[in-house]
Amino acid sequence: MKVSGDCLNGRIKDIYDLSEIPVEGINYDQMYIEKYPLTPEYSPPPEELVPSGKRTVVIDPSRTCMPFGAMWATMGVHKAIAFVQGAQGCTTYVRYTFARIFREPAAIATASFHEDAAVFGGRVNLVNGIRNLICRYKPALISIVTTCSSEVIGDDITNFLEEAKEQLVEEFGPEVLDLVKFVVVSTPSFAGSHVEGYNRAAKAYIQTLARKVSPNNKVNIIPGMITPGDIREIKHILRLMDIDDIMLFDISGTLDCPLRLPQGMPYYPKGGTKISEIVDMANSMATFALSPDAGTAGAVYLERKYKIPAVLGPLPLGVHNTDKFVKKLSEITGKPIPEEIKDERGILIDAMSDTLHYTMGRKFAVCGDPDIAAAVTRFACELGMEPVAIMSGTPSKTFVQEVWTTCEEYGFKPRIINEGDMFEWEECIKKEGVDLILGHSKCVNIAKETETPLVRIGFPVYDRVGYQRRAYVGYRGGEYLLSLIVNTILDAKYPDDRVHQ
Amino acid sequence: MMKASTDCFTLDRVSDDHILRKTKGAMRLPSCGQFSAPGKITQRSCAYYGARWMLAPIKDAIHLVHGPIGCAYYGSTVRGKNYRIFTTAMEEKDVVFGGVKKLEKTLREAKLIMPHAKCIFVYVTCTPAIIGDDVTSVCKKAEKELGCPVIVVNCPGFRGESQSKGHKIAYECLFRYIIGTRSSGRKKRSRPLVNIIGDYNINGETYLIKSLLSRIGIDVHCVFTGEADIEKMACAHEADLNLLICQSSGRFLAEAMQKKYGIPYQKVSFFGLSRTCDSLRRIGAYFGLGAEAENLIIDETKKIFYIKRDYIPRLKGKKAALFFGAARMSMLMDALEKDMQMQVVFTGSQFGDLSTYMEAWEGAREGTYLIDDASDNELEDLLHDLKPDVFMGGTKENFLSHKLGIGFVLFPQPKQAGPYIGFEGFANFVRDVYKAIFAPVWRLA
């Protein structure tokens, strides 16, 4: 095909319009595929309405409601099913979300609230629902997750549960209560966010199940909302250091499962934290809440009640944070840091030194859950990148302090948004302009609009395959994330591979 | 352990009346339209979900969710696409003191941020409905102040038995407050004009239908809601005919428009070869364009001849299972059995009504199971016992099917699959079914 002058001056809309890509004459900035300029109807919004603190409307929220976190937590327990005391949508939307992120089936039961429940309360729904669920699935644990509607109606869950238990005993005999455990997680959707929901679930599970017996020389890990790959990486580090652990809400065995036929019926994943392990959590040496916003409540409860020291964050992502985690582990257990871990760290440092020319000075923006956003910001700063807009969709007590410390250390003054919405953050990016966005899949819109490359990380990522199997924490995870960042920059800035030959 | 197993569903002992097997003799239908039993892992969703499913593609409107933040968060993604969403994000104090003040302020701000919006939809979710926020009067007041219609979509999650209630609520809103509010002023038309009801432009399906119809000589005015804007919907009552595609969600609108504006409607379907040809012929005949329709069918059928030659012989006799919202249940059964010579072992829907099951019963062959509102473990049992070669349904069922080693075809189809309707779409669909059944991974599993 002959390349006409028009084609060169304007942006080439579709790379498939060209039968052959000419090397000379087209500069790289023009060679973008399927990207849109700012939408035609875009007009800058009134200045005073951009900061989310100055308006009541929330546009494109980056956080969801508490029950989600409690359901996520329950997914990580072996043979546990969440029973959601609310309308059908409260479970269906969540099951969609799990299916899309993890590509795994997710069984969550609903109380099926209808008009009668809204008027008369959800007592009948809970009592009958628990019975039906046990009959159909024979779960080992049922966590009762409340929602906005049940909390507004004022359902007395504890009493309802007592009644349900009585009926179960009457029907199936007293042994039924040994076979099925119950945990109540109170998560009114109109407060907090999914991160807080996970936090509350951690406390509720420990409070209900953990019992002091005798020391077990293990450490408790409350991972927070990180990927199955991340959890495996944490276990890998612990194994190298020869430390036994209890991983609470271990989704690596439930939301990333092998396909091996024939499958048992009904389908239950093999993995997940065993109930006996949660009971044993009261006997451990220490509790690590890797994500301080999702897990602190559980760790602090263990500290107050059973005098088990709590280590709250930071998420071991990046060099500094992983150093801290490994050192703390060594300090508490008295085990030395093995050569292998030092080598893994060395490999990450080596990779960073090899790629510093690609990353130094690039401006970036981050959006996500507070712990992940703070840790990713620190890692990107370690790579020599410059933060511009850092947002946590969830209100967090530690996030601002964490990011502030990082930026002080590296000498940057970014915009830090706590409890913001995507709209505010996007306007900030439009105004400042960045080279790279680090965020979840909902950042695709702004990435397209401003033609900025996007590295997907955090919750939720549903438009890329294998994300949930990779680790981003630890030294090896850091190396993977670094490669992801550099390759994304390469693809975006120098899309024609021939320049690298 | 417990006596529980007697209550468990097994195929030998069909205890529930929401599942049955087609046999010779009089028509029997599964009980449907019932509330799901609590504790069941139902595939159904809520009224809010249904309303979003219908209204999300309307792009020149502000979509404002009045309720806690979660509903807005989930509702911003519809059919795998992200839409801008506004919300009041109710908090504890709003629940205690009422969310009306917040809603007033939010409406004003939303309009300032998106001044070109021609309409505002306010979705009422569970919380404001239970605490009794007077949303209607706030919206009436705001309508005057902001100078654009502010429509209350009263879709709290506990209303109705499933999302089908939400579909109806959404179409009711469009019908009552938008359709027929304007006149285009055009008098003469050289070509007939139709509306399409119940197409949602998945991977450009709307464009495909439009191009087929335009080749017969028919123009499409408004597509509910795949390609709908306020302007077009407002004068949708001027069309000559409504084409009803999704019969469960759209029937209300088609019937209401027939009653009020005298626009007749035709049930059509562009899914599968026989149904597409039949629909085009009927539409052609209605407007006296039968010859054009016939030519189009001949042209297009030629183009996908290779499908008949290469793929269908291999698919012949393979077993398929279906579980959908409602309308696709019998539509797909036709395509699979008639056009692809496959065998459907069970078909079901989340919220089908009597008429959809009647249609399914008539189309089904003997021995096919019909199931209404299947729970997760019922699907699991059916898949396990009947061992279909391919299963078709939504995202939630997708990965369960894979875990049991059964190929899956996803609806609404993902981006890379392309459209599934019309002639080209049929080719896409057949290829995807082929891929799902014959992927080497199933031999390795």
Side-chain angles (χ1 to χ4, degrees):
Chain A
M1 194 192 113
K2 206 175 131 270
V3 180
S4 67
D6 294 350
C7 201
L8 293 177
N9 291 337
R11 194 187 300 284
I12 295 161
K13 273 203 183 121
D14 192 341
I15 212 79
Y16 301 108
D17 287 345
L18 304 169
S19 55
E20 199 189 348
I21 301 169
V23 181
E24 289 92 12
I26 298 182
N27 67 44
Y28 286 115
D29 290 344
Q30 290 177 306
M31 284 188 24
Y32 284 131
I33 303 167
E34 213 199 309
K35 289 190 169 181
Y36 312 107
L38 293 170
T39 46
E41 55 283 19
Y42 177 77
S43 52
E47 198 67 31
E48 69 279 7
L49 283 180
V50 172
S52 51
K54 290 189 184 167
R55 55 186 151 86
T56 54
V57 65
V58 174
I59 310 167
D60 298 340
S62 171
R63 68 172 193 273
T64 180
C65 53
M66 277 218 272
F68 182 88
M71 284 181 245
W72 176 304
T74 306
M75 289 307 295
V77 178
H78 182 64
K79 283 190 96 170
I81 295 183
F83 179 88
V84 180
Q85 182 77 348
Q88 284 160 185
C90 302
T91 50
T92 307
Y93 269 126
V94 174
R95 293 180 66 209
Y96 270 119
T97 312
F98 282 134
R100 288 164 73 212
I101 299 175
F102 298 105
R103 292 170 202 260
E104 290 284 330
I108 301 170
T110 172
S112 287
F113 269 28
H114 297 295
E115 282 93 339
D116 51 347
V119 178
F120 303 116
R123 189 184 64 85
V124 180
N125 299 56
L126 190 121
V127 173
N128 291 347
I130 297 272
R131 183 197 168 274
N132 284 344
L133 186 60
I134 291 176
C135 289
R136 281 161 189 262
Y137 283 86
K138 307 184 181 68
L141 185 146
I142 296 174
S143 75
I144 295 153
V145 177
T146 64
T147 60
C148 47
S149 28
S150 69
E151 295 279 350
V152 171
I153 299 167
D155 277 354
D156 183 356
I157 301 291
T158 333
N159 256 335
F160 295 174
L161 183 59
E162 283 311 315
E163 196 184 328
K165 278 182 183 168
E166 268 167 38
Q167 286 203 9
L168 285 173
V169 170
E170 212 167 280
E171 194 175 350
F172 302 114
E175 65 273 18
V176 68
L177 295 182
D178 297 330
L179 296 168
V180 193
K181 299 280 174 235
F182 296 93
V183 175
V184 178
V185 192
S186 167
T187 49
S189 324
F190 42 76
S193 76
H194 57 287
V195 181
E196 177 59 22
Y198 186 101
N199 199 21
R200 285 194 182 194
K203 187 180 172 190
Y205 268 86
I206 292 170
Q207 203 168 10
T208 318
L209 298 171
R211 292 291 171 268
K212 185 101 184 162
V213 190
S214 59
N216 59 13
N217 278 335
K218 290 180 180 176
V219 294
N220 298 329
I221 308 273
I222 306 177
M225 302 172 89
I226 54 179
T227 68
D230 285 337
I231 291 182
R232 290 201 185 111
E233 181 64 26
I234 299 287
K235 285 184 183 167
H236 162 81
I237 292 173
L238 292 165
R239 217 173 304 135
L240 284 183
M241 293 185 71
D242 195 23
I243 299 170
D244 288 331
D245 67 294
I246 296 174
M247 183 73 70
L248 187 64
F249 308 140
D250 180 3
I251 57 165
S252 72
T254 55
L255 287 174
D256 184 16
C257 285
L259 198 175
R260 288 172 66 183
L261 300 175
Q263 206 69 256
M265 306 286 286
Y267 172 73
Y268 271 118
K270 259 199 311 199
T273 313
K274 300 264 178 349
I275 294 169
S276 58
E277 288 181 293
I278 304 177
V279 174
D280 201 21
M281 282 180 84
N283 306 311
S284 299
M285 299 157 79
T287 309
F288 284 77
L290 300 185
S291 313
D293 281 291
T296 294
V300 168
Y301 175 82
L302 282 173
E303 189 171 54
R304 288 205 184 127
K305 177 112 198 226
Y306 301 110
K307 308 275 175 298
I308 298 171
V311 183
L312 309 175
L315 186 69
L317 188 152
V319 181
H320 175 264
N321 287 1
T322 313
D323 284 352
K324 250 182 145 173
F325 174 61
V326 172
K327 271 183 202 149
K328 199 81 197 172
L329 271 177
S330 166
E331 193 185 304
I332 284 175
T333 59
K335 304 249 164 111
I337 298 170
E339 276 299 303
E340 287 100 321
I341 287 189
K342 287 181 185 159
D343 277 349
E344 280 178 8
R345 183 179 194 274
I347 288 171
L348 171 59
I349 299 293
D350 183 62
M352 283 164 70
S353 69
D354 293 344
T355 52
L356 61 93
H357 289 288
Y358 298 116
T359 54
M360 280 288 283
R362 299 256 189 228
K363 293 201 280 183
F364 73 96
V366 177
C367 166
D369 292 346
D371 312 309
I372 297 175
V376 166
T377 306
R378 179 169 274 279
F379 183 52
C381 285
E382 284 168 352
L383 301 177
M385 294 163 75
E386 184 190 333
V388 173
I390 311 297
M391 186 186 86
S392 151
T394 293
S396 160
K397 288 183 196 116
T398 54
F399 170 75
V400 175
Q401 183 58 41
E402 191 79 29
V403 176
W404 187 256
T405 323
T406 307
C407 295
E408 283 274 271
E409 204 179 311
Y410 288 90
F412 295 120
K413 281 211 171 79
R415 181 87 173 275
I416 305 171
I417 308 165
N418 192 14
E419 201 190 348
D421 55 12
M422 301 286 288
F423 177 75
E424 179 184 8
W425 181 71
E426 287 177 2
E427 288 305 319
C428 188
I429 291 178
K430 281 178 193 169
K431 218 169 165 186
E432 308 279 336
V434 294
D435 300 310
L436 188 71
I437 297 174
L438 293 141
H440 48 70
S441 288
K442 295 210 179 220
C443 304
V444 166
N445 289 354
I446 184 68
K448 275 260 165 69
E449 206 174 321
T450 57
E451 305 186 334
T452 313
L454 169 68
V455 170
R456 288 167 179 81
I457 186 159
F459 157 82
V461 175
Y462 42 71
D463 52 355
R464 283 293 176 274
V465 175
Y467 160 84
Q468 82 282 14
R469 295 210 171 89
R470 300 283 109 76
Y472 303 82
V473 301
Y475 298 119
R476 297 197 304 184
E479 191 276 326
Y480 176 70
L481 181 56
L482 165 65
S483 314
L484 208 62
I485 289 173
V486 174
N487 287 337
T488 307
I489 292 173
L490 286 177
D491 279 344
K493 299 284 171 193
Y494 319 101
D496 189 342
D497 278 326
R498 279 170 286 190
V499 295
H500 302 304
Q501 283 175 8
Chain B
M1 55 176 239
M2 35 187 120
K3 292 171 252 167
S5 61
T6 51
D7 189 69
C8 271
F9 163 91
T10 50
L11 286 182
D12 320 318
R13 201 186 143 279
V14 176
S15 56
D16 266 329
D17 54 353
H18 66 265
I19 172 163
L20 54 82
R21 192 172 187 185
K22 177 164 174 175
T23 46
K24 267 197 197 127
M27 177 185 282
R28 290 179 302 131
L29 298 176
S31 77
C32 52
Q34 309 277 328
F35 290 140
S36 304
K40 181 173 179 173
I41 302 191
T42 175
Q43 313 297 79
R44 285 176 173 176
S45 193
C46 62
Y48 166 72
Y49 176 101
R52 274 302 288 163
W53 191 256
M54 291 295 134
L55 298 176
I58 300 171
K59 49 181 180 284
D60 51 356
I62 291 171
H63 297 268
L64 196 151
V65 181
H66 182 41
I69 200 138
C71 293
Y73 180 83
Y74 297 124
S76 69
T77 311
V78 179
R79 294 186 201 92
K81 220 170 166 181
N82 274 340
Y83 297 95
R84 167 145 290 180
I85 200 151
F86 296 75
T87 174
T88 50
M90 284 175 90
E91 281 160 17
E92 217 150 350
K93 62 176 191 296
D94 308 314
V95 174
V96 177
F97 301 110
V100 174
K101 282 253 162 59
K102 195 167 197 183
L103 179 63
E104 264 172 36
K105 215 173 152 209
T106 307
L107 279 166
R108 231 171 280 139
E109 287 172 356
K111 181 73 180 168
L112 275 175
I113 284 168
M114 199 171 151
H116 59 274
K118 295 199 185 81
C119 170
I120 302 176
F121 290 103
V122 178
Y123 300 80
V124 180
T125 61
C126 294
T127 303
I130 294 174
I131 63 173
D133 274 356
D134 187 3
V135 178
T136 319
S137 67
V138 174
C139 290
K140 262 199 191 130
K141 233 167 81 188
E143 209 163 60
K144 278 187 203 125
E145 190 188 321
L146 304 175
C148 74
V150 181
I151 297 169
V152 183
V153 186
N154 194 5
C155 56
F158 54 77
R159 263 187 91 177
E161 86 285 349
S162 68
Q163 60 264 54
S164 69
K165 183 76 185 176
H167 300 158
K168 198 175 166 217
I169 293 167
Y171 273 135
E172 239 167 30
C173 287
L174 294 183
F175 179 70
R176 280 176 62 184
Y177 301 112
I178 297 185
I179 294 168
T181 52
R182 221 166 291 171
S183 145
S184 63
R186 269 182 306 177
K187 277 274 143 64
K188 273 186 188 165
R189 278 198 301 260
S190 55
R191 281 154 67 107
L193 197 66
V194 298
N195 292 321
I196 295 175
I197 300 175
D199 181 80
Y200 304 104
N201 199 9
I202 299 154
N203 297 353
E205 287 185 341
T206 297
Y207 309 132
L208 233 159
I209 300 180
K210 276 170 93 173
S211 91
L212 285 178
L213 292 178
S214 120
R215 280 162 68 190
I216 305 181
I218 297 166
D219 287 334
V220 175
H221 175 67
C222 180
V223 181
F224 292 93
T225 55
E227 202 192 33
D229 51 38
I230 302 295
E231 203 81 29
K232 270 188 190 162
M233 285 194 290
C235 43
H237 61 294
E238 296 175 355
D240 303 314
L241 179 69
N242 282 331
L243 301 178
L244 177 58
I245 292 187
C246 179
Q247 282 154 33
S248 55
S249 64
R251 194 187 309 127
F252 162 79
L253 184 62
E255 278 170 2
M257 281 174 84
Q258 185 174 34
K259 221 171 166 187
K260 187 163 177 191
Y261 304 107
I263 307 172
Y265 73 91
Q266 264 196 4
K267 288 182 189 172
V268 296
S269 163
F270 294 97
F271 199 94
L273 266 194
S274 48
R275 286 219 175 186
T276 308
C277 295
D278 174 57
S279 301
L280 287 172
R281 284 196 186 108
R282 276 193 288 125
I283 298 165
Y286 182 88
F287 290 112
L289 298 164
E292 283 87 342
E294 214 53 52
N295 284 339
L296 174 76
I297 291 171
I298 293 168
D299 273 5
E300 290 288 321
T301 319
K302 266 189 210 152
K303 271 191 209 161
I304 58 158
F305 175 71
Y306 71 99
I307 287 288
K308 273 201 163 147
R309 188 190 60 210
D310 299 343
Y311 286 93
I312 289 179
R314 293 191 218 178
L315 294 176
K316 194 175 171 180
K318 292 282 177 200
K319 292 190 282 183
L322 316 171
F323 189 75
F324 289 111
R328 286 202 186 93
M329 186 171 48
S330 51
M331 200 155 89
L332 257 159
M333 202 151 62
D334 255 21
L336 290 166
E337 298 218 328
K338 282 193 195 144
D339 302 332
M340 294 158 70
Q341 299 168 7
M342 290 169 69
Q343 188 192 340
V344 175
V345 290
F346 77 82
T347 180
S349 77
Q350 295 169 9
F351 49 83
D353 55 9
L354 278 178
S355 69
T356 42
Y357 281 109
M358 246 145 76
E359 213 184 325
W361 175 275
E362 275 158 15
R365 68 171 76 199
E366 246 168 70
T368 308
Y369 285 91
L370 299 182
I371 182 163
D372 181 67
D373 185 24
S375 75
D376 226 34
N377 62 340
E378 284 163 349
L379 286 178
E380 217 174 294
D381 284 342
L382 281 167
L383 291 174
H384 185 262
D385 293 3
L386 300 173
K387 300 212 164 32
D389 298 295
V390 61
F391 184 32
M392 302 175 193
T395 315
K396 289 189 269 56
E397 293 90 61
N398 189 346
F399 303 104
L400 180 69
S401 164
H402 284 177
K403 275 286 178 293
L404 301 174
I406 296 166
F408 195 84
V409 178
L410 179 66
F411 282 83
Q413 65 272 31
K415 296 279 167 299
Q416 75 279 1
Y420 274 174
I421 55 166
F423 297 91
E424 277 168 60
F426 178 65
N428 286 339
F429 174 65
V430 173
R431 264 198 306 261
D432 279 0
V433 173
Y434 172 82
K435 285 181 202 165
I437 297 178
F438 290 96
V441 65
W442 304 129
R443 273 180 278 136
L444 302 169

PDB file of all heavy atoms in Angstrom, chain A residues 34 88 121 145 349 355 375:
ATOM      1  N   GLU A  34      -6.330   1.802  18.195  1.00  0.00           N
ATOM      2  CA  GLU A  34      -7.598   1.884  18.926  1.00  0.00           C
ATOM      3  C   GLU A  34      -7.512   2.798  20.139  1.00  0.00           C
ATOM      4  O   GLU A  34      -7.734   2.406  21.275  1.00  0.00           O
ATOM      5  CB  GLU A  34      -8.020   0.490  19.386  1.00  0.00           C
ATOM      6  CG  GLU A  34      -9.538   0.330  19.402  1.00  0.00           C
ATOM      7  CD  GLU A  34      -9.948  -0.835  20.283  1.00  0.00           C
ATOM      8  OE1 GLU A  34      -9.401  -1.924  20.097  1.00  0.00           O
ATOM      9  OE2 GLU A  34     -10.815  -0.618  21.132  1.00  0.00           O
ATOM     10  N   GLN A  88     -31.191 -10.629  46.227  1.00  0.00           N
ATOM     11  CA  GLN A  88     -30.422 -11.534  45.362  1.00  0.00           C
ATOM     12  C   GLN A  88     -29.256 -10.852  44.668  1.00  0.00           C
ATOM     13  O   GLN A  88     -28.222 -11.457  44.432  1.00  0.00           O
ATOM     14  CB  GLN A  88     -31.354 -12.163  44.323  1.00  0.00           C
ATOM     15  CG  GLN A  88     -32.209 -13.234  44.922  1.00  0.00           C
ATOM     16  CD  GLN A  88     -33.446 -13.550  44.116  1.00  0.00           C
ATOM     17  OE1 GLN A  88     -34.258 -14.324  44.533  1.00  0.00           O
ATOM     18  NE2 GLN A  88     -33.599 -12.948  42.949  1.00  0.00           N
ATOM     19  N   GLY A 121     -39.139  -8.212  58.072  1.00  0.00           N
ATOM     20  CA  GLY A 121     -37.815  -8.619  58.549  1.00  0.00           C
ATOM     21  C   GLY A 121     -37.410  -9.959  57.961  1.00  0.00           C
ATOM     22  O   GLY A 121     -38.230 -10.674  57.372  1.00  0.00           O
ATOM     23  N   VAL A 145     -23.521 -12.975  56.373  1.00  0.00           N
ATOM     24  CA  VAL A 145     -23.050 -11.645  56.018  1.00  0.00           C
ATOM     25  C   VAL A 145     -24.267 -10.736  55.897  1.00  0.00           C
ATOM     26  O   VAL A 145     -25.173 -11.022  55.126  1.00  0.00           O
ATOM     27  CB  VAL A 145     -22.286 -11.693  54.679  1.00  0.00           C
ATOM     28  CG1 VAL A 145     -21.854 -10.317  54.248  1.00  0.00           C
ATOM     29  CG2 VAL A 145     -21.101 -12.638  54.777  1.00  0.00           C
ATOM     30  N   ILE A 349      17.241  -6.501  42.561  1.00  0.00           N
ATOM     31  CA  ILE A 349      18.089  -5.312  42.469  1.00  0.00           C
ATOM     32  C   ILE A 349      18.804  -5.277  41.120  1.00  0.00           C
ATOM     33  O   ILE A 349      18.901  -4.227  40.471  1.00  0.00           O
ATOM     34  CB  ILE A 349      19.126  -5.319  43.630  1.00  0.00           C
ATOM     35  CG1 ILE A 349      18.419  -5.290  44.982  1.00  0.00           C
ATOM     36  CG2 ILE A 349      20.086  -4.152  43.499  1.00  0.00           C
ATOM     37  CD1 ILE A 349      17.678  -4.025  45.301  1.00  0.00           C
ATOM     38  N   THR A 355      17.243  -1.827  34.175  1.00  0.00           N
ATOM     39  CA  THR A 355      16.149  -1.145  33.489  1.00  0.00           C
ATOM     40  C   THR A 355      15.991   0.297  33.925  1.00  0.00           C
ATOM     41  O   THR A 355      15.008   0.942  33.588  1.00  0.00           O
ATOM     42  CB  THR A 355      14.821  -1.881  33.745  1.00  0.00           C
ATOM     43  OG1 THR A 355      14.683  -2.042  35.154  1.00  0.00           O
ATOM     44  CG2 THR A 355      14.784  -3.233  33.078  1.00  0.00           C
ATOM     45  N   ALA A 375       1.830   0.657  48.719  1.00  0.00           N
ATOM     46  CA  ALA A 375       3.007  -0.173  48.464  1.00  0.00           C
ATOM     47  C   ALA A 375       3.500   0.001  47.029  1.00  0.00           C
ATOM     48  O   ALA A 375       4.708   0.081  46.779  1.00  0.00           O
ATOM     49  CB  ALA A 375       2.672  -1.638  48.735  1.00  0.00           C
TER      50      ALA A 375
END
